[in-house]
Amino acid sequence: MPHPVPIETQYWELPRPIRTVAVIGAGASGVSHKVSSADCQLPIARRLRDAGKQVRLYERNSYPGGIWKYQEAKAATPQLPALDPSQVDYQPDLDPVYPSVSKTVFRGQDADAQVNAMAMSFAPPGPSYVTLKNNIPSPLMCFQGMSRDAEKPEEWYYPHSAHQAYLEAYAALHDIDSVASYNTRVEKVDEVENGWRVWSKTFNTTRDADSTTVTITYSVDDYDAVVCATGHHNAPATPDIPGLAEWQAQWPDRLSHALTFRRGEDWKGCRNVLVVGSGPSGSDMAREISVYADNVYVTARPFETDDSPDTKIVKAVFRDRLASTCTIVPTVKRFLPPCGSVGKVEMLDGSVIEVDSVLFATGYYHSYPFLRDYQARRTSESTKIVQSQYTVLNLHQDLFYIPDPTLCLLGVPANISAFSFFEYQGIEVTRVWSNQAQLPSIPAMQRAYAARRGAVSDRNIHVYGKVEEPKLVREIASWLNSEAKRLGVQGQVEQLSGYSDEYMAVKARTVEGLGVRDAADDVRLAKAKQAFAADLAAA
């Protein structure tokens, strides 16, 4: 009897040739470094298409770009505290017959309002705000073949419109529109024999002189593999703090989430504002609000003991920038019962502050509403997908779903240079699904995942930094190169390397760059505060 092959030398085999692939994006989404779903969607759709796959990219918005597309309209304030992750973003529409087409004609003076309400429900506005800029240097925010060269830190930071234009230019350069289905939302993804089935609906409007027709097309399509590239900036998360639900019932207009923030001026007339969260977005928004409110309090959690040193440095930068305009306070313990018109909040140290407005900059859930049925059948520790706001389980390299690697969840890691890092992940997926690289066996992937999970907290399992990220990219490149050699396809694929020396030189100056960016913002905010004070005096 032959000896069994040692598990370390076994490989996962594709269960079928991967010819058709669904790439799913859900509009505005991302992570703490303001990552757009387009950061994930566009390069992987291009690479899979160029590798000969039949790709369909689902995007519920009418454009590429995700988070960077500014819209004056705001999404509705979410329920507080937040619901289960799978219910926060949207409720899948599975009642109609698939496939089918429905048409609704709207007439009269309320027609536009009714149509707009339907459109907002289908694809709510994202979290981009008026003064939004990148908070990692722009030379790190580029795809291969489309560099964004800038030598000085003062040239590294752009408004949202510049990043939106960059993504649109990339989409045009690589003809992404030829594989994209815009205005199309995925309602359900589930496994079927020999692959995956995707239920989707497409929202279109046509107008004539006296009416507007909304046409919804319900479609069903089968694929060999699926990429979920929705990121996570579309399902707002708020902590389950005692008393919060009572506050929302009593004072719904006093509570909001970063998803709906647009400008600091919206807080004119507020005496005391509490911003819950002091990360990149929370510190940005608190500074903008401080121009117009009398007092801005910002909560800050203690640094976790398993945070890497470079992550602590970046977090400290975001908190230090608040020092001159805001007051740092401990985490919220509870919202005291509403009494009259005064809102009081007890902090973790026992202190109590009065506030008349609360903004939650508490991040977003990893949420995959279209996988709800699929996830419901996977409740064991070795098959579960979403664990919490911060944790997606059972992923190999934060990417391949270990029980079935024909499902990939792209865009999960945080504290990384999203544009470039996710392109490496896209190369991984393309190589594996093209038989140009092989994953380890499922038991071997499970062991590697268990080791990663045992080394850090679940809160930080997907969090990398300026040291870990380049190391991980080098490992990805080395692995793919060695696999190409082992499988005899090195002549068919690009030889990969890690980040370039030029890239690393910019990355090493990230904290310096943030200081330059914030110094420029300090000047702008000071001028705005002077102008606001002059307006008050004149009034």
Side-chain angles (χ1 to χ4, degrees), residues 301-308 312 315 319 457 459-460:
R301 291 182 296 103
F303 292 130
E304 294 82 11
T305 56
D306 57 357
D307 268 347
S308 64
K312 287 186 178 182
K315 285 185 177 180
R319 294 181 188 180
S457 68
R459 182 184 181 90
N460 290 299

Side-chain angles (χ1 to χ4, degrees), residues 123-390:
S128 183
Y129 47 95
V130 171
T131 55
L132 173 64
K133 293 180 180 178
N134 49 306
N135 55 35
I136 59 173
S138 57
L140 309 185
M141 298 177 62
C142 56
F143 301 130
Q144 294 178 20
M146 274 190 70
S147 64
R148 304 173 82 176
D149 297 325
E151 295 181 3
K152 301 175 182 178
E154 54 266 33
E155 301 170 341
W156 289 350
Y157 302 96
Y158 305 117
H160 48 74
S161 56
H163 301 294
Q164 176 66 23
Y166 176 85
L167 293 167
E168 290 178 356
Y170 182 91
L173 176 66
H174 296 289
D175 192 23
I176 298 299
D177 284 356
S178 66
V179 300
S181 294
Y182 295 116
N183 300 308
T184 301
R185 192 177 77 185
V186 172
E187 305 299 305
K188 180 178 177 179
V189 173
D190 213 342
E191 59 183 348
V192 293
E193 186 176 1
N194 295 320
W196 298 88
R197 183 158 294 162
V198 175
W199 289 257
S200 65
K201 72 176 188 179
T202 302
F203 183 99
N204 282 313
T205 60
T206 55
R207 301 176 187 273
D208 58 27
D210 62 352
S211 67
T212 300
T213 301
V214 173
T215 302
I216 299 180
T217 304
Y218 301 91
S219 303
V220 182
D221 298 278
D222 289 348
Y223 298 92
D224 297 315
V226 172
V227 178
C228 300
T230 53
H232 53 285
H233 242 143
N234 50 334
T238 49
D240 189 1
I241 301 172
L244 179 54
E246 290 76 10
W247 269 51
Q248 188 172 45
Q250 180 73 19
W251 298 316
D253 294 338
R254 295 191 183 188
L255 304 172
S256 59
H257 189 275
L259 174 68
T260 65
F261 181 89
R262 290 296 178 266
R263 54 177 57 79
E265 293 98 309
D266 295 339
W267 274 262
K268 282 181 179 178
C270 286
R271 290 183 57 251
N272 301 316
V273 178
L274 174 63
V275 177
V276 183
S278 57
S281 295
S283 57
D284 263 7
M285 296 171 186
R287 281 157 52 89
E288 297 293 330
I289 294 170
S290 70
V291 171
Y292 303 96
D294 293 343
N295 301 292
V296 178
Y297 301 99
V298 186
T299 68
R301 291 182 296 103
F303 292 130
E304 294 82 11
T305 56
D306 57 357
D307 268 347
S308 64
D310 60 282
T311 301
K312 287 186 178 182
I313 290 171
V314 172
K315 285 185 177 180
V317 167
F318 289 120
R319 294 181 188 180
D320 289 347
R321 69 207 289 247
L322 298 167
S324 63
T325 57
C326 305
T327 302
I328 298 290
V329 295
T331 303
V332 175
K333 180 179 181 180
R334 62 178 176 141
F335 288 85
L336 297 177
C339 181
S341 61
V342 177
K344 294 184 178 181
V345 183
E346 182 180 354
M347 316 313 289
L348 203 58
D349 64 353
S351 61
V352 175
I353 59 175
E354 292 186 5
V355 299
D356 48 16
S357 182
V358 181
L359 172 66
F360 287 92
T362 45
Y364 298 80
Y365 279 121
H366 291 281
S367 181
Y368 307 97
F370 45 83
L371 286 174
R372 187 178 303 170
D373 290 352
Y374 184 75
Q375 292 186 85
R377 301 192 301 274
R378 281 147 185 82
T379 57
S380 71
E381 197 64 19
S382 62
T383 61
K384 194 183 299 183
I385 300 177
V386 174
Q387 169 85 349
S388 68
Q389 171 184 352
Y390 303 101

Side-chain angles (χ1 to χ4, degrees), residues 17 31 59 85 108 114 141 163-164 167 179 318 332 367 385 398 408 431 470 485 501 525 535:
V31 292
E59 173 56 64
Q114 291 174 307
M141 298 177 62
H163 301 294
Q164 176 66 23
L167 293 167
V179 300
F318 289 120
V332 175
S367 181
I385 300 177
D398 292 309
C408 284
R431 295 275 184 97
K485 183 177 181 180
D501 292 343
L525 292 169
D535 289 344

Side-chain angles (χ1 to χ4, degrees), residues 78-91 235-240 248 365-367 372 388-389:
Q79 178 175 321
L80 304 171
L83 299 168
D84 177 85
S86 66
Q87 302 179 42
V88 177
D89 185 17
Y90 63 90
Q91 297 293 323
T238 49
D240 189 1
Q248 188 172 45
Y365 279 121
H366 291 281
S367 181
R372 187 178 303 170
S388 68
Q389 171 184 352

